[in-house]
Amino acid sequence: MKINYPNGTKLETKKIGDKSRGMTFEHDLNTSNEYYRIHNIAIIYKKPTPVQIVKVDYPARNKARIVEGYYQTPSTTDYNGIYKGRYIDFEAKQTENLSFAFKHIFDHQVNHLKKCKDMGGISFVIIYFKKVNKVFMVDIDPFYELYLHGEKRGISIGDLQNLEKEKKAYDVKMGFAPLIDYIKGIDFLYF
Amino acid sequence: MKINYPNGTKLETKKIGDKSRGMTFEHDLNTSNEYYRIHNIAIIYKKPTPVQIVKVDYPARNKARIVEGYYQTPSTTDYNGIYKGRYIDFEAKQTENLSFAFKHIFDHQVNHLKKCKDMGGISFVIIYFKKVNKVFMVDIDPFYELYLHGEKRGISIGDLQNLEKEKKAYDVKMGFAPLIDYIKGIDFLYF
């Protein structure tokens, strides 16, 4: 179904393809999300980083300049949105190692993902292993289990490959458009 | 279903009820969302306001202070999340008048809400009419229609009351917990 919306949509096309793969994982995910939006496949956005604003100056009328602010810990996860009518929620992480250490994700983020899943949503963690240029998605249920009760302090590529056999994780192939086609992983894991 | 999550959830209870109704509409919505989260009814959050960060100082190791930043126009809407397995997306507005003027909502926000609805989500605008202390929700479809093709430059309380008869709008009753029980409106409009 192709729908023409009066404004806004067209503008988004500009950014696609003007940066090559691998700049940053976040950039690549955002570009993939743009691709999904333009093609009416999914509507998924990265949430803005929360900033605690302490002091604002007004150098001109209607112009506010923040002159003191601090980064805050996000209440939830990086990304959420809708695909095939379902609620999607995920956290994106990257690591230099061959195992993603659990200390690099917050308790409240893991809990948030688990709650979203329990409420009928689709929740996962997507991890970029820089060293081997690989991206894996893992459903929140096994991740939560390992995070809470696992003997190891992280989740390795080997763990993820084993989970893929049970349809609980997915090795995301890199492409050109979209760069990180994780929607294929959502189809594989949930549909 | 009552689930005990290891961390985070308990802390949220602190804020509930320590401010009386009417402080600000945003505060009241956030408090209502907290109520819904604590009671495992819905998981809905306000997205952080996006800030363009220009300059950051590091007065101490691991401490970043933003010393130049600017508010940005949000790409999407204020609130999204999940309820009864469905994706929820809405924009919250308030007005001093008896009609909400369309110029106070962005094109790209109306389009975003419409796209979410078309993709199977639940999308609406929730408006606080300060003068009469009334809150109305209106489904994005009639709102979009009036916004694009309507003869008037806004949507009035009268319009909303008429739309309520067709189950396209809802007069949200104010309560104590939650302050603004708009989930009742979601039930009325969509379930």
Side-chain angles (χ1 to χ4, degrees), chain B:
Chain B
M1 187 174 60
K2 190 89 190 163
I3 305 165
N4 285 312
Y5 295 95
N7 277 301
T9 311
K10 280 276 169 56
L11 289 169
E12 296 177 21
T13 44
K14 265 193 292 182
K15 274 194 234 150
I16 284 241
D18 64 14
K19 299 226 176 187
S20 62
R21 245 238 87 249
M23 257 280 296
T24 71
F25 185 43
E26 183 181 312
H27 170 272
D28 292 354
L29 279 172
N30 292 344
T31 308
S32 303
N33 286 338
E34 246 178 281
Y35 177 92
Y36 294 140
R37 286 200 300 273
I38 293 165
H39 293 84
N40 283 313
I41 295 166
I43 305 169
I44 294 164
Y45 280 92
K46 183 178 186 301
K47 290 182 204 166
T49 306
V51 170
Q52 184 205 358
I53 289 155
V54 176
K55 207 175 152 204
V56 180
D57 272 0
Y58 294 88
R61 249 173 78 93
N62 299 327
K63 191 163 170 84
R65 179 162 63 194
I66 296 153
V67 293
E68 188 180 352
Y70 300 92
Y71 293 104
Q72 287 179 302
T73 305
S75 320
T76 59
T77 42
D78 286 340
Y79 294 88
N80 75 352
I82 181 170
Y83 171 59
K84 289 188 180 170
R86 298 279 296 275
Y87 176 76
I88 308 292
D89 201 301
F90 64 94
E91 180 65 18
K93 292 290 178 190
Q94 59 180 309
T95 175
E96 304 280 346
N97 304 312
L98 299 178
S99 177
F100 170 73
F102 290 139
K103 66 180 177 195
H104 294 305
I105 190 165
F106 289 108
D107 267 2
H108 71 268
Q109 292 181 316
V110 178
N111 291 332
H112 170 78
L113 287 166
K114 177 69 175 142
K115 284 192 198 184
C116 290
K117 177 97 195 268
D118 289 344
M119 218 168 251
I122 287 173
S123 308
F124 55 89
V125 181
I126 185 164
I127 308 163
Y128 177 44
F129 295 91
K130 224 167 165 177
K131 204 183 255 176
V132 290
N133 198 35
K134 264 186 167 309
V135 174
F136 275 93
M137 295 162 64
V138 52
D139 175 63
I140 192 58
D141 284 338
F143 187 93
Y144 185 82
E145 211 36 51
L146 289 170
Y147 180 83
L148 271 197
H149 307 298
E151 283 164 19
K152 295 196 291 177
R153 289 187 203 164
I155 189 165
S156 68
I157 293 179
D159 294 333
L160 291 161
Q161 284 166 335
N162 285 331
L163 284 168
E164 187 167 10
K165 290 171 200 158
E166 302 166 43
K167 282 203 151 200
K168 289 176 179 167
Y170 182 77
D171 181 350
V172 186
K173 301 295 172 293
M174 311 291 199
F176 175 67
L179 295 169
I180 302 171
D181 197 1
Y182 68 89
I183 287 284
K184 280 211 184 96
I186 297 183
D187 282 334
F188 175 79
L189 295 170
Y190 306 99
F191 288 99

Side-chain angles (χ1 to χ4, degrees), chain A residues 103-170:
Chain A
K103 68 181 176 195
H104 295 306
I105 190 165
F106 290 109
D107 266 3
H108 71 268
Q109 293 181 315
V110 179
N111 291 332
H112 168 78
L113 287 167
K114 177 70 176 139
K115 284 194 201 184
C116 290
K117 175 98 196 263
D118 290 344
M119 218 168 249
I122 287 174
S123 307
F124 55 90
V125 181
I126 185 164
I127 307 163
Y128 176 45
F129 295 91
K130 225 169 163 174
K131 205 182 256 176
V132 290
N133 198 35
K134 266 188 165 305
V135 174
F136 276 92
M137 296 163 63
V138 51
D139 176 62
I140 191 59
D141 284 339
F143 187 95
Y144 185 82
E145 211 37 49
L146 288 170
Y147 180 85
L148 271 196
H149 306 298
E151 281 163 20
K152 295 195 289 175
R153 289 187 202 162
I155 188 164
S156 68
I157 293 180
D159 295 333
L160 291 161
Q161 284 166 334
N162 284 330
L163 284 168
E164 186 166 10
K165 290 171 200 158
E166 303 168 41
K167 282 204 150 196
K168 289 176 179 168
Y170 181 77

